[in-house]
Amino acid sequence: MEDSVFRTPPQLNRWQIYYQEVPEAVLNPLGAEFISADVEQGDTIYWKMPVENVSTSDMSDLLVDYYLYDNNNVRRRYCITTLSCIAAWRYAECFNKIQYTELSGH
């Protein structure tokens, strides 16, 4: 099946793709909620953020790494946590808190 004159590709009667889907997680900012209103030095910030599994495959445990950038644009890690399994098309809510004294320059 070669066309040496016009160099057109062969016409396929059937084309199949085999794949194994993997779970995919996304943050849903529409469900994000800051539970702390006004924050002063020494206060604690609380918030929640939904993490959704947007695939048809169940997800095993998910490692979540929390960090912020300080006034000098330096990345500061303050928490690592694990979310339990998230079923397909379901979500889990991450609840977190930061002690405001941990944030330098504020």
Side-chain angles (χ1 to χ4, degrees):
M1 294 181 73
E2 185 176 318
D3 181 358
S4 58
V5 177
F6 296 108
R7 304 229 184 250
T8 57
Q11 299 302 307
L12 301 176
N13 293 329
R14 184 176 178 169
W15 185 15
Q16 289 182 308
I17 299 174
Y18 295 98
Y19 75 99
Q20 183 175 4
E21 182 182 60
V22 295
E24 183 174 355
V26 297
L27 300 175
N28 184 349
L30 297 177
E33 181 180 341
F34 279 90
I35 301 165
S36 306
D38 296 327
V39 182
E40 305 266 339
Q41 183 81 24
D43 287 348
T44 302
I45 302 169
Y46 296 93
W47 84 88
K48 70 176 182 176
M49 173 68 74
V51 178
E52 296 184 23
N53 179 354
V54 293
S55 66
T56 59
S57 301
D58 292 344
M59 180 179 295
S60 62
D61 292 351
L62 178 67
L63 183 68
V64 181
D65 182 9
Y66 293 94
Y67 60 89
L68 292 173
Y69 288 90
D70 65 13
N71 286 347
N72 298 317
N73 208 24
V74 175
R75 180 179 157 161
R76 305 283 183 188
R77 174 183 286 159
Y78 67 90
C79 180
I80 297 177
T81 188
T82 302
L83 290 177
S84 297
C85 304
I86 306 174
W89 300 112
R90 302 287 183 199
Y91 71 94
E93 288 184 337
C94 289
F95 289 96
N96 209 328
K97 64 179 183 175
I98 302 175
Q99 195 68 33
Y100 197 63
T101 56
E102 298 172 12
L103 304 176
S104 62
H106 297 282

